[in-house]
């Protein structure tokens, strides 16, 4: 399937496969945060849009567009320079591209997953990019006034990935007793017992090697018996990059 970003003359967006790494995860002891596979998969689950310029911004607490103050370092491209156009303490980045997804597919657009920024939070949106002839913006809202926030040049300001429009509404949610799925129940109880035993072993005889400090069942995609019940388990995503913008492509 194609994800196309159409470029108007003068548009040169910085879009790249989203990185799995996070500075705060690097800084955890022994980088243990990366043991959480759902966390790292979410980090890399799509593409990220970066700001080409470094900037600082703050909000003075007012509701008008003039209440957001922005200082851009160096010469900024007016197409991608951050602006204040909505008021309400919102900082806006224009995304210089017109996206096209296959029929029936939207784009989820929001902030970089698991990448908090003190004093600011990313707003999220779902865009019907299979038909819309409109560009969209990436917006961040200040959480408190008089607190200066900084973005470095090349820092991600948006994260996006395709979602099938009808999929969510096609699910029929329901509750069921665990006993209704005896194989699942047995596997769960086996895991629970092994988890308790592992924690006790960790307390009695702490391992030296970091790799021995976690069980890795989910990471390896296996149940407590060591069986892999699916054939497409992911420990890493290989999201394809957009080609260079001076390349015509296929």
């Amino acid at each position: 399937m194609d994800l196309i970003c159409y470029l108007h003359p003068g548009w040169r967006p910085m879009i790249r496969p989203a990185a799995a790494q996070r500075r705060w995860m690097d800084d955890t002891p022994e980088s243990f945060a990366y043991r959480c596979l759902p966390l790292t998969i979410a980090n890399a689950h799509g593409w990220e849009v970066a700001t080409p310029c470094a900037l600082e911004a703050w909000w003075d607490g007012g509701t008008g567009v003039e209440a957001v103050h922005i200082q851009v370092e160096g010469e900024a491209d007016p197409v991608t320079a951050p602006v204040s156009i909505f008021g309400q303490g919102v900082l806006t980045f224009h995304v210089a591209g017109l996206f096209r997804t296959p029929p029936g597919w939207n784009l989820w657009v929001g902030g970089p997953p698991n990448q908090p920024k003190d004093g600011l939070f990313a707003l999220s949106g779902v865009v019907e990019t299979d038909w819309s002839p409109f560009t969209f913006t990436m917006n961040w809202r200040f959480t408190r006034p008089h607190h200066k926030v900084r973005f470095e040049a090349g820092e991600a300001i948006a994260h996006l990935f395709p979602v099938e429009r009808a999929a969510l509404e096609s699910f029929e949610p329901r509750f069921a007793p665990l006993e209704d799925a005896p194989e699942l129940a047995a596997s769960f109880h086996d895991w629970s017992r092994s988890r308790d035993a592992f924690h006790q072993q960790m307390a009695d005889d702490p391992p030296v090697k970091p790799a021995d400090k976690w069980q890795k069942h989910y990471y390896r995609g296996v149940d407590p018996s060591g069986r892999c019940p699916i054939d497409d388990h992911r420990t890493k995503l290989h999201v394809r990059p957009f080609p260079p913008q001076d390349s015509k492509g296929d």
Side-chain angles (χ1 to χ4, degrees):
M1 291 190 289
D2 290 331
L3 173 61
I4 304 172
C5 179
Y6 287 103
L7 303 178
H8 188 275
W11 290 357
R12 297 187 65 83
M14 296 175 62
I15 308 176
R16 63 201 178 212
Q21 294 75 28
R22 296 290 184 266
R23 176 66 62 83
W24 71 267
M25 295 173 68
D26 296 339
D27 292 341
T28 55
E30 299 173 347
S31 299
F32 75 83
Y34 289 105
R35 300 174 193 172
C36 180
L37 184 59
L39 199 69
T40 57
I41 291 293
N43 293 349
H45 196 266
W47 293 263
E48 58 190 21
V49 183
T51 173
C53 59
L55 65 118
E56 292 184 340
W58 67 97
W59 173 50
D60 66 20
T63 59
V65 296
E66 71 283 350
V68 174
H69 306 266
I70 304 167
Q71 290 181 338
V72 175
E73 295 181 3
E75 191 171 332
D77 180 354
V79 175
T80 54
V83 292
S84 174
I85 56 176
F86 296 118
Q88 312 305 314
V90 173
L91 175 68
T92 297
F93 294 86
H94 288 285
V95 178
L98 191 59
F99 289 89
R100 267 293 173 272
T101 44
W105 287 78
N106 300 332
L107 274 187
W108 185 97
V109 185
N114 305 310
Q115 184 81 313
K117 186 168 282 288
D118 185 30
L120 201 64
F121 75 90
L123 305 182
S124 302
V126 177
V127 187
E128 294 183 353
T129 44
D130 57 345
W131 69 267
S132 173
F134 318 117
T135 58
F136 54 80
T137 58
M138 179 61 209
N139 299 286
W140 294 71
R141 193 169 190 271
F142 287 90
T143 59
R144 62 184 186 273
H146 310 297
H147 174 77
K148 189 171 287 188
V149 175
R150 180 175 179 83
F151 286 89
E152 300 294 345
E155 182 175 344
I157 52 91
H159 182 100
L160 53 88
F161 58 88
V163 290
E164 194 169 9
R165 185 154 59 240
L168 186 64
E169 294 170 307
S170 68
F171 285 91
E172 190 68 43
R174 63 187 178 93
F175 294 109
L178 183 56
E179 292 73 20
D180 286 359
E183 184 177 349
L184 175 61
S187 186
F188 166 75
H189 291 306
D190 286 347
W191 167 79
S192 184
R193 286 190 292 269
S194 73
R195 188 74 163 172
D196 290 342
F198 180 77
H199 284 163
Q200 187 61 53
Q201 181 183 353
M202 289 275 291
D204 295 342
D205 186 18
V208 176
K209 296 179 180 179
D212 295 334
K213 296 180 181 180
W214 52 305
Q215 288 183 291
K216 311 181 194 67
H217 285 129
Y218 183 84
Y219 195 93
R220 293 186 289 119
V222 298
D223 63 17
S225 71
R227 180 179 65 91
C228 184
I230 61 173
D231 59 7
D232 59 350
H233 174 66
R234 298 286 195 275
T235 58
K236 183 182 292 186
L237 295 180
H238 300 279
V239 177
R240 298 171 185 173
F242 282 82
Q245 294 175 31
D246 57 358
S247 172
K248 294 182 180 179
D250 295 328

